[in-house]
Amino acid sequence: MNRRSLDRLFAVAGRELTTVARTRAFLALGGGFALVVAVLAWAADAVGYVPLVLDLLTPVEVLVPALALAFGYRAVLGDAERGELDVIRTYPVSRATFVLGVFLGRAAALLVAVIVPLLGAAVLVPLFGGVGTSVIASHAAADSPLVYLRFVVLASAFALVVMAAALAISATAGTTRAGLVVAVALGVALVVGFDAGIVAGLAGGVIPESGLELLVALSPNSAFRGLVLESVVGGLASGAPAASPLASVFGLLAWLVGALSVAVLTVWSGPRR
């Protein structure tokens, strides 16, 4: 990518970041996520970083997709509604540059909304007794801020993957109503649908238990959960691995690249109303 393309990329990213910063709804969503994380961390009375991860894992699985979809599902649709997308198409900006710029700008705002509350929650651990966990007592010495940092990094990667999916929805949906319906459907599928399908498949004998480690990589939520349990909790406790780390990483990357590719291919296509 040459210098002009980079300038255009950062110009689009800056525009999106400014849009998010000026939109009260996004600020309210970020503030709501921060409040929920703070309340949960305080109520958990965690005496270690691993217990804090276990307390926050399920809420993060549910709230981060909702936050990412809300931040991203109107990224392109909003420009189309205001007529700005037609104007942008007349500029010397390629589809890939536009989509990547939108993604970077929205993702930067999303990462701030996700990372800051999670790091803030870690500050409460020393207030409740410092490092050390009563949940996995035999490995209490291994409990450290670095362990919790892995969780924050994985949560950030998870948020970026769902943001890419939201951008793909925004680029392909013809109307805001259609985009909202697809975003809600995807959110439900991520939080409930994929896991329910795996459980039903196991119960019905359709899915063999030997393939479970690979199947959890098919959904961003289960791949994220598996990586957290394996790299944060599983690394401290004995027993079978929660997931295949390689398959989970590949699954998240496949969702990220696939969603961005769909957005690039469809962002200029067809009239919008």
Side-chain angles (χ1 to χ4, degrees):
M1 184 175 288
N2 57 39
R3 178 62 182 273
R4 288 185 178 180
S5 296
L6 284 175
D7 289 341
R8 293 163 186 161
L9 175 67
F10 290 133
V12 175
R15 170 180 176 270
E16 292 299 319
L17 187 57
T18 300
T19 298
V20 173
R22 291 178 176 176
T23 305
R24 293 181 179 178
F26 293 138
L27 298 177
L29 287 170
F33 176 75
L35 179 61
V36 171
V37 170
V39 170
L40 290 174
W42 183 268
D45 195 23
V47 294
Y49 293 101
V50 172
L52 181 59
V53 169
L54 293 173
D55 289 327
L56 293 179
L57 178 56
T58 298
V60 166
E61 271 193 68
V62 175
L63 296 177
V64 165
L67 196 62
L69 289 168
F71 268 57
Y73 91 95
R74 290 193 73 252
V76 177
L77 285 170
D79 287 340
E81 287 180 343
R82 295 187 296 268
E84 295 178 11
L85 189 61
D86 292 331
V87 176
I88 293 172
R89 292 176 64 176
T90 65
Y91 294 160
V93 178
S94 68
R95 292 184 299 179
T97 299
F98 175 71
V99 168
L100 188 56
V102 171
F103 176 74
L104 291 178
R106 299 268 171 163
L110 177 63
L111 288 180
V112 171
V114 171
I115 292 175
V116 172
L118 291 180
L119 291 180
V123 176
L124 297 176
V125 173
L127 299 179
F128 290 130
V131 178
T133 170
S134 58
V135 175
I136 311 175
S138 62
H139 295 83
D143 191 42
S144 73
L146 292 179
V147 172
Y148 185 79
L149 185 60
R150 294 179 200 166
F151 171 67
V152 176
V153 170
L154 290 173
S156 301
F158 175 45
L160 293 180
V161 169
V162 183
M163 168 63 77
L167 186 55
I169 292 172
S170 189
T172 56
T175 64
T176 298
R177 178 178 295 180
L180 178 60
V181 170
V182 176
V184 171
L186 177 60
V188 173
L190 291 177
V191 174
V192 179
F194 286 109
D195 286 345
I198 292 175
V199 171
L202 288 171
V206 178
I207 299 175
E209 293 185 12
S210 60
L212 184 59
E213 290 184 4
L214 297 178
L215 285 173
V216 296
L218 296 179
S219 164
N221 281 55
S222 56
F224 162 68
R225 183 192 318 123
L227 285 171
V228 170
L229 293 177
E230 177 63 18
S231 64
V232 178
V233 179
L236 302 179
S238 59
S244 167
L246 183 60
S248 295
V249 170
F250 180 80
L252 290 175
L253 287 175
W255 271 84
L256 178 67
V257 175
L260 290 178
S261 298
V262 169
V264 169
L265 292 173
T266 59
V267 67
W268 286 168
S269 62
R272 294 173 182 270
R273 294 177 294 175

